[in-house]
Amino acid sequence: MSIQDLAMLKKQHGLIKASCTRVKTYVDSIGQPSALVIAQLEERKSKLENSWIEYNTVQTRLELADDAEASDRIAFEEAFYSLAARIRELTASAPPARGSGAVSSSTADSRGAPESVSHVRLPKLSLPSFSGKYDEWFPFRDMFNSVIHLNSALSNAQKLQYLKSSVIGEASNIICSLELSDANYEVAWSRLRERYDNQRVVMQNHIRAIMELPSLAKENYIELRQIADGAAKHLHALQALKRPCDKWDDILIVILTSKLDSRTAREWQSSLTGAELPTLKQFKIRLQSRVSAYTAITECIVSERVTENLPVASFKRKAMKLPRNISLADPNFNVSSEIDILIGAELFWELLCVGQIGGSTDHPLLRKTRLGWVLAGRFGAVSSPPWVHSNHAIVTNRQLHDQVDRLWQLDENFAASSTYSPEERFCEKHFVDNVSQNSQGRYIVKLPIKEHLLSKLGDSQEIALKRLRSLEKRFSRNSSLKSQYNRFMEEYLALGHMRRVTMPSGKGAPTFYLPHHCVVKPTGGS
C-alpha cells in the first residue's frame, strides 16, 4: 500500500470518528427526552450504525497495512456499544406520546400533525422480527415500544396488526389466536411481556451463549472472527443489563482461551510476561491482531499430502538467535511438521512486505510478510537426514471416467436389489402420501394406524372418567392448582394444540379416551 493510500485511509478514519463524536455530544446533552428528541435519536442511531460499517471497512484495511493499528478497534468498539446502549436506554425510558397537555395547539400545528408524521415515517422503518429467542427480546421490545406502542397516532387495532406482522415462529403462537381489535392489543402485548420480559433468563442465555461458542480444532480466520464477535456481542448485552462484566476478566479469559486452537493459544501464553494477571482488554487486542491477519480467496487442489514434513528434521530453537522485536508467521518453525497449503506465485508476491534482515551465523534470512516474519535459506547448525523421499502419482482421464462409471453401476445395483417387507412398504407409501409442510417450515406426517388392531382398544371411557373424578377431588383440596391447570388448558386451546370434540351417542367409529392429569414441578420455571 502506498503512502498516499495510507494517508487517505487515515483521513477517512478521522472523519468517521468525528461524526460519531458529534452523535455522542448530542446524546450527552439530553436530559428528559421528548417525542421530537426521540425521533432525532432514531435518526442518529441509524447514522451511527452506518458509521460503524464504514469504520470497520477502513480499519480492516489499516490493520492489514500496519499491525499497530489493531488497538484502535478495541477503543472504538467500547465507545460505540456504550453510545448505542445509551441511545436505547433513552428511547426506552421516553414517556408515552399521548402527552400531558402541556404542548399548545399552535406548537403542534407548527411541527405538523402527529397523524401525518406517523403515516409518512412508519413505512420507511423496517421493524425487526421476533422469533421467540430471549436474547432478541429486549432490542425488539425497545424498538417496538418507541415506534409503535407509544405512538398516539395509531389505534390499538393498528398496533396489533404491526405486532402480529413482526412476531414469528414460537412467539407468534402466543398471540395468533387473538382477533384484530382494540381490546386485544393490550392482551397480546401483555402476554409477550409476561413470557419474555425476564432479565434473569435473558442474562442466563447470554452467559450460556458465551460458554457454547465454537471451539477451534485448527486455526481458522472465519471461526476466530465468530468467537471475537460473538463474545463482544454477548458481553455488551450483559453490560446493557447492568451486570458487573468488568469484574469477570479472569473467568472470561479462561473460557475464551479454551475455545482457541492450539497455535493461537500458545501465542497468547507466550505474549504474557511476569506474574501480573492479564486483562480482558489485552486478550481482545491479541485476538483482534490474529483476526485481522491477511486472507485471500483462491482455488485449491485437495491432495492427501503436499510434500514431506518441513523442516526435514526438528531442531532446538535456541540454536538460532532471532531478533526479539519480530512476530513470526510460524512460531514453531523449528518443529518438523506437515505442510498445510502450497500457494502459487500470484499470492506469494502479495504476501511480501517491505522489511528484510539478511542471514548471518546467528540465523538465516528473515523476510517480513502479511502473515508475519518468515525464515528462508540455509543455516549451518541444522543437519538433515541422509535420505530423501520423492512421491509421484498420475491418473488419466480415462481411468477417472471408468472409476466414476463403476460407482454409478454400484449405485443402480443397490437401488434395484433393495427389498422391503410389506410393513416397510406400507410405511414408506404412508409417508409419501401424508407428508406436508406448514407455513413455519415444519414437516407434518399423519401417524399410521393398524386398522386390524382398532377393535382391541377396549373400553377406555370408564378409566378416563375415574381419573377425571380423582383429579377433581384433588382440585377441591387445592384451589391454586386448579387455577393453574385451567389456565394451562385454556392456553392449549388458544394455541391450537387441542380442540373440543363432540361424539354422537351410540356406537360409532372406534374411540379411545386418553386419561389426563397434571404434574407440578415446584423447582421448575413453569
Side-chain angles (χ1 to χ4, degrees):
M1 181 180 296
S2 66
I3 298 177
Q4 292 181 345
D5 292 339
L6 189 61
M8 182 63 68
L9 284 176
K10 289 189 175 181
K11 185 176 181 180
Q12 294 178 4
H13 194 263
L15 292 173
I16 295 170
K17 295 176 75 172
S19 176
C20 296
T21 302
R22 289 193 294 271
V23 175
K24 184 178 185 302
T25 302
Y26 175 82
V27 172
D28 291 341
S29 66
I30 296 174
Q32 182 63 33
S34 62
L36 180 60
V37 171
I38 293 299
Q40 293 200 25
L41 282 174
E42 293 293 343
E43 293 297 329
R44 282 175 166 80
K45 181 181 179 182
S46 176
K47 175 63 176 176
L48 187 64
E49 291 172 349
N50 292 334
S51 296
W52 165 253
I53 296 174
E54 294 171 2
Y55 172 86
N56 190 51
T57 302
V58 174
Q59 179 66 18
T60 301
R61 295 182 63 187
L62 284 172
E63 290 173 4
L64 291 177
D66 186 359
D67 294 338
E69 293 288 344
S71 59
D72 186 85
R73 182 187 292 271
I74 304 298
F76 185 89
E77 285 183 350
E78 294 292 340
F80 171 82
Y81 288 120
S82 297
L83 182 56
R86 176 59 180 162
I87 293 176
R88 188 174 75 175
E89 182 181 10
L90 288 172
T91 54
S93 63
R98 298 186 183 274
S100 58
V103 180
S104 64
S105 59
S106 62
T107 305
D109 292 340
S110 66
R111 294 182 179 176
E115 289 82 357
S116 62
V117 173
S118 67
H119 288 301
V120 172
R121 292 179 60 81
L122 281 177
K124 296 180 182 180
L125 291 175
S126 179
L127 290 174
S129 59
F130 177 60
S131 62
K133 295 181 179 179
Y134 278 92
D135 55 353
E136 298 175 355
W137 167 248
F138 283 110
F140 170 78
R141 184 201 65 181
D142 293 345
M143 174 65 77
F144 191 87
N145 207 37
S146 60
V147 177
I148 303 297
H149 184 67
L150 301 178
N151 193 334
S152 60
L154 297 175
S155 67
N156 280 353
Q158 289 174 316
K159 293 178 182 179
L160 182 57
Q161 178 63 43
Y162 279 115
L163 184 60
K164 282 196 167 188
S165 64
S166 302
V167 176
I168 60 175
E170 177 187 343
S172 67
N173 295 334
I174 300 175
I175 62 173
C176 65
S177 61
L178 298 175
E179 297 180 356
L180 286 175
S181 66
D182 286 344
N184 279 339
Y185 171 68
E186 293 296 340
V187 176
W189 187 238
S190 297
R191 283 187 180 181
L192 288 174
R193 296 198 64 171
E194 288 175 3
R195 173 68 66 87
Y196 298 107
D197 215 350
N198 190 327
Q199 287 196 9
R200 174 177 56 81
V201 176
V202 174
M203 180 200 68
Q204 291 175 351
N205 281 350
H206 282 299
I207 295 177
R208 187 179 299 110
I210 294 176
M211 300 286 290
E212 295 175 355
L213 285 171
S215 298
L216 301 184
K218 193 174 183 179
E219 189 176 16
N220 185 297
Y221 164 80
I222 296 176
E223 293 182 359
L224 196 60
R225 167 69 75 178
Q226 290 176 354
I227 292 177
D229 292 346
K233 167 188 170 184
H234 295 295
L235 283 175
H236 286 296
L238 289 168
Q239 289 172 353
L241 293 173
K242 304 189 184 317
R243 305 313 303 152
C245 301
D246 55 333
K247 305 291 193 302
W248 300 349
D249 283 18
D250 297 340
I251 297 175
L252 290 172
I253 289 176
V254 172
I255 294 173
L256 296 178
T257 304
S258 68
K259 306 294 181 181
L260 303 179
D261 60 280
S262 57
R263 178 177 175 180
T264 306
R266 281 196 303 269
E267 288 193 6
W268 160 247
Q269 294 296 337
S270 62
S271 68
L272 303 177
T273 57
E276 186 178 353
L277 294 176
T279 63
L280 185 61
K281 185 176 181 179
Q282 290 175 321
F283 181 82
K284 287 180 179 179
I285 293 175
R286 190 69 186 180
L287 192 61
Q288 190 61 48
S289 66
R290 297 293 299 168
V291 169
S292 302
Y294 174 80
T295 58
I297 299 175
T298 183
E299 295 182 356
C300 295
I301 298 177
V302 180
S303 174
E304 204 171 306
R305 188 183 222 179
V306 177
T307 183
E308 286 291 327
N309 292 358
L310 290 178
V312 292
S314 300
F315 59 93
K316 292 183 178 181
R317 185 167 175 170
K318 294 180 180 179
M320 296 184 182
K321 298 179 181 179
L322 301 177
R324 294 184 178 181
N325 59 340
I326 63 173
S327 176
L328 296 175
D330 182 11
N332 300 311
F333 68 92
N334 59 309
V335 179
S336 179
S337 56
E338 295 181 354
I339 301 300
D340 296 319
I341 185 171
L342 181 65
I343 62 173
E346 70 278 5
L347 289 181
F348 173 77
W349 296 109
E350 289 185 13
L351 291 173
L352 295 181
C353 300
V354 178
Q356 179 174 309
I357 302 176
S360 66
T361 56
D362 293 332
H363 57 75
L365 175 72
L366 290 166
R367 184 63 188 260
K368 186 178 182 181
T369 71
R370 292 179 182 268
L371 304 177
W373 289 81
V374 297
L375 295 85
R378 182 180 295 276
F379 184 64
V382 180
S383 60
S384 59
W387 63 84
V388 176
H389 293 283
S390 177
N391 298 306
H392 177 71
I394 184 170
V395 178
T396 64
N397 287 340
R398 182 62 186 174
Q399 290 173 320
L400 184 62
H401 180 272
D402 292 343
Q403 293 293 331
V404 174
D405 189 49
R406 287 185 60 193
L407 178 64
W408 285 111
Q409 290 177 3
L410 290 172
D411 186 62
E412 291 175 358
N413 294 336
F414 175 78
S417 62
S418 60
T419 57
Y420 290 149
S421 66
E423 191 173 71
E424 291 172 337
R425 285 196 295 270
F426 168 77
C427 290
E428 183 181 30
K429 183 177 184 304
H430 176 84
F431 176 84
V432 173
D433 294 342
N434 295 281
V435 67
S436 62
Q437 190 175 13
N438 63 11
S439 58
Q440 299 177 6
R442 295 182 177 180
Y443 288 95
I444 302 173
V445 182
K446 178 183 176 183
L447 291 175
I449 298 176
K450 296 182 178 181
E451 301 289 343
H452 63 283
L453 296 179
L454 289 177
S455 60
K456 299 181 180 181
L457 287 177
D459 185 12
S460 58
Q461 183 178 16
E462 187 60 32
I463 298 175
L465 287 174
K466 288 182 179 179
R467 177 63 59 84
L468 177 61
R469 295 188 192 102
S470 175
L471 190 61
E472 289 177 341
K473 290 180 181 179
R474 185 180 177 187
F475 287 156
S476 65
R477 298 189 300 268
N478 191 339
S479 59
S480 175
L481 179 62
K482 179 180 180 181
S483 176
Q484 294 179 33
Y485 183 81
N486 288 339
R487 186 163 60 251
F488 173 83
M489 298 301 284
E490 288 172 359
E491 183 179 356
Y492 241 53
L493 280 171
L495 295 177
H497 295 336
M498 68 179 182
R499 67 177 185 272
R500 190 183 300 277
V501 177
T502 56
M503 295 296 296
S505 58
K507 294 185 177 180
T511 306
F512 181 79
Y513 294 87
L514 184 67
H516 190 269
H517 68 284
C518 60
V519 177
V520 180
K521 185 180 180 183
T523 58
S526 60

